[in-house]
């Protein structure tokens, strides 16, 4: 009787970050630090996960650099919904091949190694498991995994939570069916009161970036950290990373207010005390922008070495700007002066 009552108890009311700290296990083949998950390892992730948990927020946009942990935020969210709030979910990767890789390399290890999830998704070797590479079934819902280039994968099915990963790598159209993002969003129409649409990407080119466009329409949240010396809160920007000429090992971050120099340890401590601040009014979409300077896994000396190599050629500089600074890249070619053109206009 006691076991029956225990089974009937509702799950504890947790946010995604709380669920991850309590239950999530990182797998050895998908993490350099396998074992217990700790959101404090990259404190900025807490506010990002809490936005997905927030019932008032329907659309969430992450415009980020690499090594920020955005894929793990998606994984934590999926794990949370599987165990705490079962729902039909859709994960869209840029291509079917990348969808296959994510499913086998990231999702399957999480389902295997996180104890609370292990018995909810059946073994794919079982005939009636409903568990394949592209679909994982569990009590109360399923995870559909598709490529943005695959119209059939985006066919009509009811979806509550949509996770759109690396949207700047999506094709402009899923075959002849149209924009894959709009096709994915259309699947959530029956969940008007509790749907979630999460868009994630490193940006690409200025004027052609889906994630930048989505971020510009959000409340534009930036992560501000207090200086360990003067407590002035500030965004971390590349122009405040200093080093001696040809000595990237001397790299440090310089406070914009008092000029104190932060080594990596000081920078990590400052980031743990940071908080997200919206710079525009909330309009239904929470937008987060964060660059590689905040990463707990990339020392500044390594970032400076990468920059010194990257700046020699436009193509490599583009990669640095997109994946580390989380900014769109604009070719430095000949530009047309808008005002000069306007002055020459005739009736």
């Amino acid at each position: 009787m006691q076991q029956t009552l225990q089974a009937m108890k509702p799950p504890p009311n947790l946010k995604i970050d709380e669920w991850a700290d309590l239950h999530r296990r990182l797998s050895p083949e998908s993490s350099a630090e396998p074992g217990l998950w700790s959101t404090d390892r990259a404190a900025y992730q807490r506010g990002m996960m809490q936005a997905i948990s927030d019932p008032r927020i329907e659309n969430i946009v992450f415009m980020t650099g690499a090594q920020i942990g955005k894929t793990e935020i998606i994984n934590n969210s999926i794990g949370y919904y599987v165990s705490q709030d079962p729902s039909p979910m859709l994960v869209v990767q840029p291509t079917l091949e990348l969808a296959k890789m994510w499913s086998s390399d990231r999702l399957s290890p999480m389902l295997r190694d996180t104890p609370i999830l292990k018995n909810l998704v059946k073994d794919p070797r079982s005939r009636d498991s409903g568990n394949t590479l592209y679909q994982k079934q569990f009590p109360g819902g399923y995870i559909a995994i598709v490529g943005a280039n695959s119209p059939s994968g985006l066919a009509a099915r009811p979806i509550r939570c949509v996770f759109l990963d690396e949207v700047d790598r999506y094709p402009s159209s899923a075959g002849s069916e149209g924009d894959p993002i709009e096709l994915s969003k259309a699947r959530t129409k029956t969940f008007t009161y509790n749907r979630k649409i999460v868009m994630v990407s490193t940006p690409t080119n200025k004027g052609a970036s889906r994630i930048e466009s989505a971020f510009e329409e959000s409340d534009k949240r930036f992560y501000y950290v207090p200086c360990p010396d003067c407590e002035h809160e500030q965004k971390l920007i590349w122009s405040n990373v200093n080093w001696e000429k040809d000595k990237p090992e001397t790299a440090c971050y310089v406070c914009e207010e008092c000029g104190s120099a932060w080594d990596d340890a000081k920078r990590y401590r400052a980031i743990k005390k940071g908080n997200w601040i919206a710079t525009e009014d909330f309009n239904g979409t929470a937008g987060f922008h964060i660059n590689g300077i905040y990463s707990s896994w990339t020392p500044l000396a390594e970032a400076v070495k990468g920059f010194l190599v990257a700046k020699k050629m436009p193509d490599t500089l583009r990669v640095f700007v997109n994946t580390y600074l989380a900014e769109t890249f604009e070719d430095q070619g000949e530009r047309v002066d808008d005002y000069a053109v306007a002055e020459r206009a005739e009736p």
Side-chain angles (χ1 to χ4, degrees), residues 47-49 51-52 60-64 70 73-74 198-202 211 215 286-289:
M48 300 166 84
M49 287 187 278
I52 302 175
I60 302 97
V61 175
F62 298 155
M63 179 174 169
T64 81
K70 59 184 183 296
I73 292 175
I74 291 177
V198 183
M199 291 180 62
V200 179
S201 192
T202 51
I211 200 68
F215 178 75
F288 297 81
H289 181 278

Side-chain angles (χ1 to χ4, degrees), residues 92-341:
V92 185
Q93 295 290 341
T95 66
L96 199 59
E97 184 62 28
L98 288 172
K100 177 182 177 181
M101 290 174 59
W102 176 81
S103 178
S104 61
D105 297 347
R106 308 302 288 270
L107 178 61
S108 292
M110 178 182 74
L111 296 174
R112 180 196 69 209
D113 295 335
T114 299
I116 199 172
L117 302 176
K118 191 171 184 179
N119 296 321
L120 293 178
V121 180
K122 292 183 180 179
D123 191 322
R125 291 169 293 185
S126 173
R127 283 186 181 181
D128 63 344
S129 70
N131 182 349
T132 67
L133 196 59
Y134 298 111
Q135 179 153 314
K136 311 288 185 182
Q137 291 186 348
F138 52 89
Y142 58 83
I143 309 164
I145 306 153
V146 305
N149 61 340
S150 174
S152 61
L154 299 170
R157 65 175 89 187
I159 296 292
R160 179 188 168 196
C161 303
V162 176
F163 297 94
L164 303 159
D165 197 11
E166 292 297 349
V167 297
D168 271 20
R169 277 76 181 170
Y170 286 10
S172 58
S173 178
S176 60
E177 301 295 320
D179 181 17
I181 293 179
E182 294 305 316
L183 289 172
S184 301
K185 289 180 178 180
R187 304 282 70 81
T188 67
K189 286 182 178 179
T190 55
F191 293 89
T192 55
Y193 67 97
N194 65 350
R195 61 188 169 195
K196 293 287 178 181
I197 299 169
V198 183
M199 291 180 62
V200 179
S201 192
T202 51
T204 49
N205 295 330
K206 187 76 173 175
S209 172
R210 293 175 185 267
I211 200 68
E212 183 183 51
S213 178
F215 178 75
E216 289 295 323
E217 295 175 359
S218 73
D219 60 2
K220 296 184 181 179
R221 304 182 188 193
F222 296 91
Y223 197 74
Y224 284 75
V225 303
C227 172
D229 297 305
C230 72
E231 299 186 349
H232 171 70
E233 291 192 333
Q234 58 204 282
K235 288 189 297 183
L236 303 187
I237 56 177
W238 184 247
S239 58
N240 288 339
V241 176
N242 285 9
W243 65 92
E244 295 177 23
K245 185 177 180 181
D246 299 326
K247 293 183 178 180
E249 66 276 8
T250 63
C252 63
Y253 192 88
V254 177
C255 172
E256 65 183 18
E257 181 69 16
C258 71
S260 68
W262 313 350
D263 60 14
D264 283 330
K266 215 171 188 180
R267 176 170 59 95
Y268 296 151
R269 289 196 298 271
I271 291 168
K272 283 189 175 182
K273 297 178 180 178
N275 64 97
W276 288 100
I277 297 177
T279 58
E280 301 286 347
D281 293 335
F282 178 69
N283 59 2
T285 300
F288 297 81
H289 181 278
I290 191 164
N291 61 45
I293 303 172
Y294 294 90
S295 174
S296 303
W297 298 276
T298 308
L300 284 181
E302 184 178 321
V304 170
K305 287 178 184 176
F307 169 72
L308 293 175
V309 172
K311 71 174 186 175
K312 296 176 182 179
M313 297 179 63
D315 286 344
T316 52
L317 182 60
R318 181 195 308 273
V319 173
F320 181 84
V321 170
N322 291 163
T323 62
Y324 187 80
L325 300 184
E327 297 174 2
T328 53
F329 187 81
E330 188 171 11
D331 288 315
Q332 301 298 310
E334 185 177 346
R335 301 179 186 175
V336 177
D337 188 325
D338 294 344
Y339 296 102
V341 172

Side-chain angles (χ1 to χ4, degrees), residues 66-106:
Q67 299 299 314
I68 291 296
K70 59 184 183 296
T71 300
E72 293 303 341
I73 292 175
I74 291 177
N75 294 346
N76 287 342
S77 301
I78 290 170
Y80 168 86
Y81 281 111
V82 170
S83 72
Q84 302 295 120
D85 191 7
S87 308
M89 292 179 273
L90 176 67
V91 179
V92 185
Q93 295 290 341
T95 66
L96 199 59
E97 184 62 28
L98 288 172
K100 177 182 177 181
M101 290 174 59
W102 176 81
S103 178
S104 61
D105 297 347
R106 308 302 288 270

